[in-house]
Amino acid sequence: MKAFVMKAIGSVGFTEKPVPEPGPFDAVVQTTTALICTSDSHTVRGGIGPRENLTLGHEAVGVVHAVGSEVKSVRPNDRVLCGAITPDWGDAASQNGFPSQSGGPLGGFKFANSKDGVFAEYFHVNDADANLAVIPDGVPDEWAVYCADMLSTGFMGAEKGNIPIGGTVAVLAQGPVGLMATAGARLRGAGLIIGVESVPERQLLARAYGAGEIIDFTSEDVVERVLQLTGGEGVDTAIEALGADATFQTAVKITKPGGTISNVGYFGDGEFVRIPRVEWGVGMADKTIASGLCPGGRLRMERLLRILESGQVDPTPMTTHEFAFDDMEQAFEISDKKLEDVVKVLIRFG
């Protein structure tokens, strides 16, 4: 089969690999639709260390090609969604309520990390009964594929943000994850959602997904504007969706005492992330810093698919580019270099 791989740090391309075989509890999925994520770029730049001929990608849907002898919930030809994070559900961390950390910190992050990812004609899924969800007939692949990571991670930002009904929320950065954090904040009942973003196209999407106010950080001071919008108090919840030290510091500064800073950003650079001491109340302002890795698992995917099936969120306006798998190198360059006002690139197989 053809696979799109990280050849080494800074280098990508196609290669041929054998079609994977399922173990007793596993499945092999024939890929039909995938999305490129900024995390793929972080990986290629060395964010998780050197890799050689590692298949990239972690957002995909497809059709079951083969299953192991002990798999019960899916069968060949089922149209399925696989979460970007595929935990080992028997691990102690999973039993303790943190399946994304199974096997160690970020251990559920297997695709394009500890095993080949989904940018191939076929991909392997561990623990298939717990990690694959059958896609309802009314949900097209182009919608379902967003549940693998963007909806799951963005909604997690809202969930971990402890948003009170009618509360105030600021979402810093309106990339795909930030946009879904905005949509998640609306679903959680936020009364005011403030989107921080400078790109006009993303500002429009932020408003469509629920942001009532937009702050362009290139033309105004974010902290001053947030305080103005909240009567000097700050927000109940600040969601950091970029993964930058300066943005994280802003999130701490704009959160009111007793509020929550919910981090979903991928910090791919630097040795440290700084907390502004005074605005943190010198450590005693009851400001909670919450973080997490994209939740995976069949139950999570089924819930997200239900959101799409009921029409509460339409993720497809984020798809700005579409390519065939054969054109993956061009597609990756556009996503990696943020060309042509790209938001999200969708890849079609077959």
Side-chain angles (χ1 to χ4, degrees):
M1 69 173 186
K2 180 186 287 189
F4 186 74
V5 303
M6 173 184 172
K7 296 179 178 179
I9 290 178
S11 176
V12 299
F14 282 107
T15 192
E16 291 289 324
K17 293 191 176 186
V19 175
E21 296 286 339
F25 297 96
D26 308 332
V28 173
V29 176
Q30 183 176 5
T31 319
T32 58
T33 308
L35 293 167
I36 301 176
C37 182
T38 301
S39 296
D40 297 311
S41 294
H42 287 307
T43 297
V44 172
R45 291 172 190 152
I48 57 173
R51 298 290 190 275
E52 183 177 346
N53 286 330
L54 176 75
T55 302
L56 293 166
H58 54 264
E59 300 177 73
V61 299
V63 176
V64 175
H65 171 68
V67 297
S69 59
E70 303 302 314
V71 174
K72 299 178 176 60
S73 65
V74 296
R75 57 190 177 185
N77 299 318
D78 280 347
R79 192 166 61 102
V80 291
L81 160 69
C82 182
I85 304 303
T86 53
D88 296 310
W89 288 92
D91 186 82
S94 296
Q95 296 180 44
N96 198 34
F98 299 97
S100 296
Q101 316 301 329
S102 62
L106 310 185
F109 173 26
K110 300 181 187 301
F111 287 137
N113 182 12
S114 60
K115 65 181 281 188
D116 279 336
V118 303
F119 290 163
E121 292 172 305
Y122 298 86
F123 63 91
H124 174 274
V125 180
N126 63 288
D127 212 348
D129 282 332
N131 285 320
L132 285 177
V134 175
I135 302 171
D137 290 340
V139 179
D141 288 357
E142 296 82 359
W143 292 50
V145 70
Y146 274 98
C147 295
D149 187 354
M150 298 300 96
L151 265 76
S152 193
T153 301
F155 286 7
M156 178 193 70
E159 290 164 319
K160 285 184 172 285
N162 193 31
I163 301 168
I165 292 177
T168 54
V169 180
V171 183
L172 290 87
Q174 294 290 320
V177 168
L179 289 166
M180 290 301 93
T182 297
R186 183 191 65 193
L187 291 172
R188 298 285 286 190
L192 172 64
I193 302 172
I194 304 165
V196 180
E197 179 57 60
S198 64
V199 179
E201 293 79 9
R202 297 185 181 206
Q203 292 176 350
L204 291 173
L205 285 171
R207 289 195 181 277
Y209 284 122
E213 297 284 347
I214 299 292
I215 299 174
D216 182 344
F217 63 88
T218 66
S219 61
E220 55 186 329
D221 184 278
V222 175
V223 176
E224 289 182 3
R225 181 65 175 141
V226 168
L227 292 176
Q228 181 184 48
L229 290 168
T230 58
E233 292 187 349
V235 292
D236 293 294
T237 304
I239 302 175
E240 205 283 357
L242 182 63
D245 178 54
T247 309
F248 181 80
Q249 291 189 59
T250 298
V252 175
K253 291 176 182 178
I254 64 176
T255 302
K256 68 171 62 171
T260 301
I261 299 98
S262 178
N263 183 79
V264 293
Y266 181 134
F267 290 86
D269 300 306
E271 292 300 312
F272 302 98
V273 178
R274 295 171 295 173
I275 300 173
R277 182 181 62 86
V278 173
E279 290 86 355
W280 195 34
V282 296
M284 296 178 285
D286 282 316
K287 295 188 181 186
T288 299
I289 297 174
S291 67
L293 176 63
C294 171
R298 176 172 58 85
L299 179 60
R300 174 74 170 186
M301 295 301 109
E302 289 174 345
R303 287 173 173 168
L304 297 177
L305 287 167
R306 199 172 298 131
I307 293 290
L308 300 188
E309 191 175 25
S310 63
Q312 295 182 69
V313 175
D314 176 2
T316 58
M318 293 189 291
T319 302
T320 52
H321 295 70
E322 294 188 18
F323 288 90
F325 182 49
D326 288 344
D327 298 320
M328 188 72 191
E329 292 189 52
Q330 180 186 359
F332 190 83
E333 181 180 21
I334 287 174
S335 177
D336 180 47
K337 296 181 179 178
K338 299 291 186 288
L339 304 176
E340 301 176 9
D341 296 323
V342 66
V343 177
K344 202 72 175 169
V345 179
L346 184 139
I347 306 298
R348 296 187 184 276
F349 291 70

